[in-house]
Structure formats: structure tokens, C-alpha cells
């Protein structure tokens, strides 16, 4: 069972909240943008509860993936608490109301493979953004949290790719839904994330920061010219490697989708 191998690797390599020295925060290096970024990350990472619930509902016939979802959910909750603990150490209040508002599970995707594909995209996106933001952030403890979380997200993306590839080998008729998901998330010149697409409406008028707030800071303050296209190329390349198809452009994705449904 693949999740058993993931679990053993997790036991060898995982970090704990107690590994982070919150007393080492350099308050002289804390900028208002960092506070906003951390609050945005809190809002993004808290959705692991809703997502894990959704996974259990949708993959009721897949014990292996469900076991992995437990490991994934723990790590994502750890990220949520790490960013929250950094804010707490600075006496910054974190409003629990918008977190509570997003508790409901995600609805199933058009196919289970589409759900897995959506999570590949979200993990690759957050991995990229956390890594780039970590290089920009000068406060050392927040830098450490971002770096740890980025590495975790890379591992999560790898495992979601594994489960998608394995499922498509058994159920190739789900390929069109995977290609459609890729096109939806990479066809526009903006960052799309499932939390922003499906959950932000639940916290309108309640949350000052959402995950999209952090993405906006990334694009305005951190991203180099062409950064969004580099991110989209990374995502398309992962899907191309996973499916064996040429998916480097929107046109190629549309062509592959048309052939898959023909």
C-alpha cells in the first residue's frame, strides 16, 4: 500500500511545531505585509479539514488514498497552526469566525481524478509561492515556516500525482476531466486556487484576508516578470509528465481534451 510508504517517510522526515523557536522572532524585521501573508496562509491552510472530509466522502472505496489523506490533512493542519502561532507570538489576533465558516466539506469533483488533479495544482501553486515568498521575507521565523511548508507541499504534489496516475491507469475514461481541470486553472493570467474559487464567498464580509490576498501580495511584491507563466509551465509540465501528453500550452491542452473525448 503506497500510503504505508508515505507514512514511514513522514515518520523519518516530519517536523514538529516545537521545532520552531517562536521566541526568536525578530520583531524589527516584521513588516505589515508579513502579517497579511500569515493571515492569508492561515485561511488557506485551515481548509484541510473540509478537504479531508471531502476526500473521505468521495474516495469511500479507496482505503490507500484515504490513508494518505489522513497524513496529508495532519501536515496541512500543522501549517495552519504554525502560521497562527507566529501571529500569536506577535500578539496579533486571528479571527476564528471565517475559519469556522469554511468548515463544510468540498463537494465531489466531476470525477475523482478531477479532484486529485485539482489538488496537484493547488499543491504545486502553494509550493512555488511559499518558496519564493520565503526568499523575500526577512523575518527568520516566518522564513523558516514558509520554507518548511513549501517542502511539504512539494511532497504532497508528488503523492497526488502518484494517485492520479494510478487511477487513470485503471480508469482512463476520467482523463478528460483531468485535462479540463488543468485548462480551467491555467487558462487565465491569474492565480487560481480551489480555496479561492469555492470558499471565499463563504467569508465575504467576515474575513479581512483570504488566500487570494496572499496571492495578490506575491504578485505585487515578490514575483519577477513572467512569474505567473513560469508557474503555469510548471503545472502543465507536471500534468504532461503524468499523462504522457504534450500540454505546454492552452492550445495543446484543448487539443488533447478534444482527442480524449472523441
Amino acid at each position: 500500500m503506497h500510503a504505508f510508504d508515505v507514512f514511514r517517510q513522514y515518520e523519518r522526515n516530519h517536523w514538529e511545531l516545537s521545532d520552531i523557536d517562536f521566541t526568536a522572532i525578530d520583531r524589527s524585521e516584521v513588516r505589515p505585509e508579513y502579517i497579511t501573508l500569515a493571515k492569508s496562509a492561515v485561511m488557506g491552510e485551515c481548509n484541510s479539514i473540509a478537504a479531508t472530509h471531502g476526500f473521505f466522502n468521495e474516495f469511500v472505496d479507496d482505503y490507500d488514498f484515504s490513508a494518505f489523506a489522513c497524513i496529508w490533512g495532519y501536515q496541512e493542519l500543522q501549517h495552519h497552526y504554525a502560521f497562527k502561532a507566529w501571529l500569536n507570538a506577535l500578539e496579533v489576533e486571528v479571527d476564528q469566525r471565517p475559519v469556522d465558516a469554511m468548515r463544510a466539506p468540498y463537494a465531489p469533483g466531476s470525477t475523482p481524478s478531477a479532484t486529485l488533479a485539482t489538488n496537484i495544482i493547488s499543491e504545486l501553486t502553494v509550493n512555488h509561492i511559499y518558496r519564493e515568498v520565503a526568499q523575500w521575507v526577512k523575518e527568520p521565523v516566518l522564513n523558516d515556516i514558509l520554507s518548511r511548508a513549501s517542502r511539504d507541499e512539494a511532497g504532497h504534489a508528488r503523492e497526488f500525482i502518484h494517485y492520479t496516475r494510478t487511477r487513470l491507469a485503471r480508469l482512463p475514461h476520467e482523463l478528460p476531466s483531468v485535462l479540463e481541470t488543468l485548462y480551467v486553472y491555467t487558462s487565465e493570467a491569474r492565480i487560481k486556487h480551489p480555496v479561492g474559487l469555492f470558499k471565499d464567498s463563504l467569508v465575504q464580509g467576515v474575513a479581512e484576508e483570504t488566500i487570494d490576498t496572499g496571492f495578490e501580495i506575491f504578485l505585487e511584491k515578490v514575483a519577477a516578470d513572467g512569474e505567473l507563466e513560469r508557474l503555469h509551465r510548471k503545472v502543465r509540465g507536471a500534468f504532461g509528465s503524468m499523462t504522457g501528453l504534450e500540454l505546454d500550452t492552452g492550445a495543446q491542452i484543448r487539443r488533447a481534451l478534444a482527442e480524449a473525448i472523441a
Side-chain angles (χ1 to χ4, degrees), residues 46-65:
C46 78
N47 276 269
S48 60
I49 302 295
T52 304
H53 190 165
F55 289 147
F56 289 160
N57 287 342
E58 191 168 2
F59 291 86
V60 68
D61 61 342
D62 191 336
Y63 186 94
D64 188 8
F65 175 75

Side-chain angles (χ1 to χ4, degrees), residues 24-250:
I25 292 175
D26 185 347
R27 292 172 179 262
S28 69
E29 292 287 3
V30 176
R31 295 163 51 179
E33 297 91 357
Y34 300 175
I35 301 294
T36 302
L37 282 166
K39 286 185 174 182
S40 172
V42 165
M43 291 302 299
E45 300 288 0
C46 78
N47 276 269
S48 60
I49 302 295
T52 304
H53 190 165
F55 289 147
F56 289 160
N57 287 342
E58 191 168 2
F59 291 86
V60 68
D61 61 342
D62 191 336
Y63 186 94
D64 188 8
F65 175 75
S66 297
F68 163 70
C70 293
I71 303 167
W72 171 87
Y74 182 93
Q75 288 188 313
E76 297 288 8
L77 189 62
Q78 186 180 35
H79 299 168
H80 170 74
Y81 285 145
F83 288 112
K84 187 173 182 177
W86 184 82
L87 290 165
N88 288 344
L90 292 168
E91 296 88 39
V92 175
E93 183 179 356
V94 178
D95 190 348
Q96 186 65 25
R97 293 176 303 160
V99 173
D100 291 343
M102 292 197 285
R103 167 60 186 88
Y106 282 91
S110 57
T111 70
S113 289
T115 296
L116 296 174
T118 299
N119 282 272
I120 293 170
I121 295 168
S122 65
E123 301 292 346
L124 289 174
T125 298
V126 178
N127 157 254
H128 181 91
I129 291 173
Y130 279 171
R131 185 183 66 247
E132 296 299 315
V133 171
Q135 296 177 19
W136 174 72
V137 165
K138 297 184 183 301
E139 199 292 302
V141 178
L142 182 58
N143 176 292
D144 183 30
I145 295 169
L146 287 161
S147 298
R148 291 174 187 268
S150 176
R151 289 191 294 270
D152 289 346
E153 307 295 8
H156 297 165
R158 181 181 63 245
E159 304 310 335
F160 278 111
I161 288 170
H162 165 83
Y163 284 106
T164 308
R165 182 186 288 118
T166 301
R167 185 175 181 89
L168 288 176
R170 292 188 294 111
L171 302 166
H173 65 275
E174 293 188 357
L175 175 61
S177 69
V178 170
L179 298 174
E180 181 182 42
T181 299
L182 174 63
Y183 185 74
V184 166
Y185 280 92
T186 63
S187 61
E188 299 178 26
R190 66 187 183 97
I191 297 175
K192 290 184 178 180
H193 191 280
V195 174
L197 286 179
F198 297 111
K199 293 285 187 174
D200 275 3
S201 62
L202 299 177
V203 295
Q204 289 178 358
V206 180
E208 294 184 10
E209 295 86 7
T210 68
I211 190 170
D212 287 337
T213 310
F215 292 162
E216 289 167 6
I217 292 178
F218 166 71
L219 292 173
E220 292 174 6
K221 305 284 187 179
V222 182
D225 290 343
E227 192 79 38
L228 182 58
E229 180 53 34
R230 280 191 288 274
L231 172 58
H232 284 175
R233 281 202 304 269
K234 179 179 180 179
V235 172
R236 295 183 192 119
F239 275 70
S241 177
M242 178 177 70
T243 62
L245 300 170
E246 292 188 6
L247 303 172
D248 297 328
T249 66

